[in-house]
Amino acid sequence: MGQAMLALRYAVYDTAAGDVTLIAAKKSLRALLFGARDPSGAANEENTVLYDAIVQLNQFFFGQRRSFDVPLAPFGGEKEQRVYAEVQKIPYGETRTYKEIAKSAGLKDGKEVEKILALNPLPFFIPCHRVIKDEKDLGSYVGGDHLKEKLIQMEQSKTRKMYRPGHYLDPRT
């Protein structure tokens, strides 16, 4: 495991949703953490995967991108991978319930999906903000409930952007 960790690279970026720490292997994005972090065992150096991920993330926030094409390799077991795959199928601007994702991923109930998505290693890229409890309750989000609400509003608005160049809005307001 030591050699595998040494192959990881990370970089901290200031995004429209605040600081994020992106972690990548040589050819795939592994994790996105909210806030500036110093992940143990990873080298603080950019690579092309990290660069592409931040460019695409900024395009997403400015309404120029609806999906990502950065290669992903999220941490997680077989059950988690099934849930992540189903969540990635949700079209931009649409939502699904935890129960619907559970059914399509072959899991017993929505609570199991909710627990898995609470630990989603790649928020935004695996768009768990599009998974809700029901029409009256959005459910929780790894980046905070208010950010989840803002992301859903952004995707469903006519302008489809949360931020505009040169004008960063605090996602908590």
Side-chain angles (χ1 to χ4, degrees):
M1 179 149 152
Q3 284 185 323
M5 288 301 286
L6 291 175
L8 294 178
R9 304 286 183 254
Y10 80 95
V12 177
Y13 299 101
D14 178 23
T15 72
D19 286 343
V20 297
T21 303
L22 294 171
I23 303 170
K26 187 174 184 176
K27 296 182 180 187
S28 60
L29 190 62
R30 302 297 310 269
L32 179 148
L33 308 171
F34 287 97
R37 308 277 181 90
D38 185 13
S40 177
N44 183 2
E45 9 178 280
E46 246 186 34
N47 66 13
T48 56
V49 173
L50 292 170
Y51 178 78
D52 290 346
I54 195 61
V55 167
Q56 290 184 26
L57 196 56
N58 283 324
Q59 290 170 339
F60 171 76
F61 284 123
F62 292 120
Q64 301 164 334
R65 176 174 287 276
R66 293 183 179 201
S67 63
F68 300 97
D69 58 16
V70 174
L72 305 179
F75 298 106
E78 184 265 332
K79 187 186 323 183
E80 288 83 0
Q81 298 300 328
R82 286 196 329 253
V83 169
Y84 301 151
E86 291 303 318
V87 170
Q88 286 179 280
K89 294 177 186 176
I90 304 171
Y92 183 96
E94 295 184 21
T95 59
R96 300 290 183 271
T97 65
Y98 294 119
K99 187 176 180 178
E100 289 171 319
I101 297 298
K103 183 177 180 180
S104 61
L107 302 179
K108 62 181 179 176
D109 63 34
K111 288 189 185 292
E112 195 171 7
V113 170
E114 189 173 9
K115 286 179 186 177
I116 289 169
L117 293 181
L119 301 173
N120 177 5
L122 286 164
F124 307 122
F125 296 95
I126 298 172
C128 60
H129 61 275
R130 297 177 187 156
V131 185
I132 61 174
K133 274 193 177 185
D134 56 49
E135 292 302 317
K136 296 178 184 172
D137 185 353
L138 296 180
S140 59
Y141 181 60
V142 66
D145 298 350
H146 192 73
L147 180 57
K148 181 175 187 169
E149 183 178 352
K150 287 280 203 185
L151 290 166
I152 290 171
Q153 287 172 356
M154 174 191 79
E155 290 188 8
Q156 293 177 347
S157 77
K158 296 216 183 298
T159 61
R160 298 202 188 278
K161 59 179 155 178
M162 184 182 241
Y163 307 94
R164 60 184 188 270
H167 182 71
Y168 288 87
L169 299 175
D170 184 343
R172 295 167 293 209
T173 61

